[in-house]
Amino acid sequence: MSVLVTGGAGYIGSHMVLELVEAGERVVVLDDLSTGFAESVPREAVLVRGDAGDQELVGRIIGEHGVDAVAHFAAKIVVPESVADPLGYYLANTGKTRSLIEASVRAGVRHMIFSSTAAVYGDVTANPVSEDLTPAPVSPYGRSKLVSEWMLADTAVAHDFRHVILRYFNVAGADPAGRIGQSTPRATHLIKVACQTALGQRPVLEVFGTDYPTPDGSCVRDFIQVSDLARAHVSALAHLRAGGGCLTLNCGYGRGFSVLEVVAAVKRVSGVDFPVKLSPRRAGDPAAIVADASRIRALLDWQPRYDDLDAIVAQALAWEKRLAQQSAA
């Protein structure tokens, strides 16, 4: 049997593919390469260039490769962009997910792992946040993911189709062996942007909002290392294949760092005191959100290996240096 990974040439998806390949799984990646990179896909995996919302293509891949599980990463992920382009986000994140679910059910696939987000919780008033909190997303991005979660839940009632929904907090870092990392040039991930600024690739790092009700006024986030997150997906797959039921789980460490604390960590690890510009808040950004990550540790065979901010920053910085060397070659 094979695992179909949509968006498997992207940042998080490619780390999932690497984990699956190293576990001896047969993997098919479906990616339109609009933000992903073919070179991020291990050569042991099959790469198909195409749209996750193309039902005919998805059905053909499932039949030809004997797919028994789908890991769905393909999505748009930038909160401010979703505020400016809500219809684009509902198409990419909701409409195409619906098409993928339907194609999977029609082809007899029984297992799906869905890439969701802590943005479904919205502007929370207390932390840490458990999965029992009623979702109240404040951005089209968060809403587009929540509607997809509802579709999965309804599909599981009507069909023999089980799923694990993983709600990511802030993903960061790179493969500790340096094989893959966050390669999107215009990515908005804080640690990546800060590392690029430390390397002189950006003139200044912009911090959005310093008047939040947090200890230093900047947003507080729970940062999870990308390989740890990928292993959570592999554990979710094992859970489903063993006959486990549908789950919705937070993916974080249960500890928050402010934006300014992260900036200080990048300066400390890089040894560069790069310029920082303090700017107004962005639309759709909650003040603080930290995971209650007890459920995933209890229900899946998963424990973090890289829960260290400086180590995560060092991985990201090493990856940015590698990208710069490749560009210069």
Side-chain angles (χ1 to χ4, degrees):
M1 304 302 287
S2 299
V3 181
L4 171 60
V5 181
T6 70
Y11 174 40
I12 304 172
S14 64
H15 284 79
M16 168 65 162
V17 173
L18 188 60
E19 292 286 339
L20 289 170
V21 165
E22 291 187 337
E25 296 278 354
R26 295 171 55 201
V27 183
V28 184
V29 171
L30 176 59
D31 199 301
D32 64 7
L33 301 183
S34 59
T35 57
F37 298 85
E39 56 268 28
S40 296
V41 178
R43 60 178 177 271
E44 296 90 344
V46 176
L47 172 60
V48 178
R49 184 168 185 174
D51 193 322
D54 184 337
Q55 291 193 349
E56 182 180 348
L57 175 60
V58 170
R60 186 164 65 249
I61 291 171
I62 291 170
E64 291 179 356
H65 295 274
V67 170
D68 75 315
V70 176
H72 182 34
F73 294 89
K76 290 178 174 289
I77 63 169
V78 182
V79 170
E81 183 182 73
S82 78
V83 175
D85 181 25
L87 295 179
Y89 270 66
Y90 283 116
L91 172 61
N93 294 356
T94 311
K96 292 185 180 182
T97 296
R98 182 216 167 275
S99 296
L100 177 67
I101 294 171
E102 182 176 21
S104 300
V105 169
R106 285 181 174 178
V109 173
R110 298 175 56 230
H111 306 140
M112 180 173 285
I113 304 165
F114 179 63
S115 167
S116 193
T117 171
V120 301
Y121 294 118
D123 197 358
V124 302
T125 57
N127 283 290
V129 178
S130 85
E131 297 88 346
D132 296 326
L133 182 69
T134 301
V138 296
S139 68
Y141 168 60
R143 294 186 189 108
S144 71
K145 287 289 192 174
L146 182 58
V147 174
S148 297
E149 291 190 10
W150 290 343
M151 288 192 296
L152 283 167
D154 290 340
T155 303
V157 172
H159 301 278
D160 182 14
F161 186 78
R162 288 174 292 114
H163 61 266
V164 174
I165 294 166
L166 297 178
R167 291 175 174 167
Y168 307 169
F169 283 64
N170 283 57
V171 188
D175 168 45
R179 292 167 291 182
I180 50 177
Q182 171 56 279
S183 299
T184 308
R186 293 179 297 279
T188 59
H189 297 70
L190 171 61
I191 291 178
K192 179 181 179 70
V193 172
C195 288
Q196 290 176 329
T197 309
L199 294 175
Q201 298 169 359
R202 294 175 183 252
V204 62
L205 174 68
E206 200 166 4
V207 173
F208 297 98
T210 56
D211 60 345
Y212 287 99
T214 60
D216 64 17
S218 65
C219 290
V220 172
R221 297 291 184 265
D222 188 335
F223 292 87
I224 181 171
Q225 197 271 350
V226 65
S227 297
D228 274 346
L229 179 59
R231 287 190 303 102
H233 287 75
V234 175
S235 295
L237 176 63
H239 165 83
L240 291 173
R241 284 178 168 170
C246 299
L247 296 174
T248 298
L249 302 170
N250 287 338
C251 289
Y253 290 149
R255 180 175 60 175
F257 292 96
S258 74
V259 170
L260 293 179
E261 286 177 322
V262 171
V263 171
V266 176
K267 289 185 175 184
R268 181 170 59 247
V269 172
S270 67
V272 179
D273 186 15
F274 50 84
V276 176
K277 177 184 177 183
L278 304 181
S279 297
R281 300 181 183 188
R282 297 182 303 188
D285 281 345
I289 186 161
V290 176
D292 177 345
S294 58
R295 190 168 297 178
I296 189 172
R297 298 186 191 213
L299 297 181
L300 297 185
D301 181 21
W302 180 82
Q303 291 290 330
R305 296 177 181 172
Y306 306 108
D307 181 6
D308 181 271
L309 180 60
D310 281 14
I312 292 171
V313 167
Q315 294 165 5
L317 188 64
W319 178 252
E320 292 304 322
K321 289 178 179 178
R322 178 172 177 177
L323 288 178
Q325 292 169 351
Q326 291 173 348
S327 298

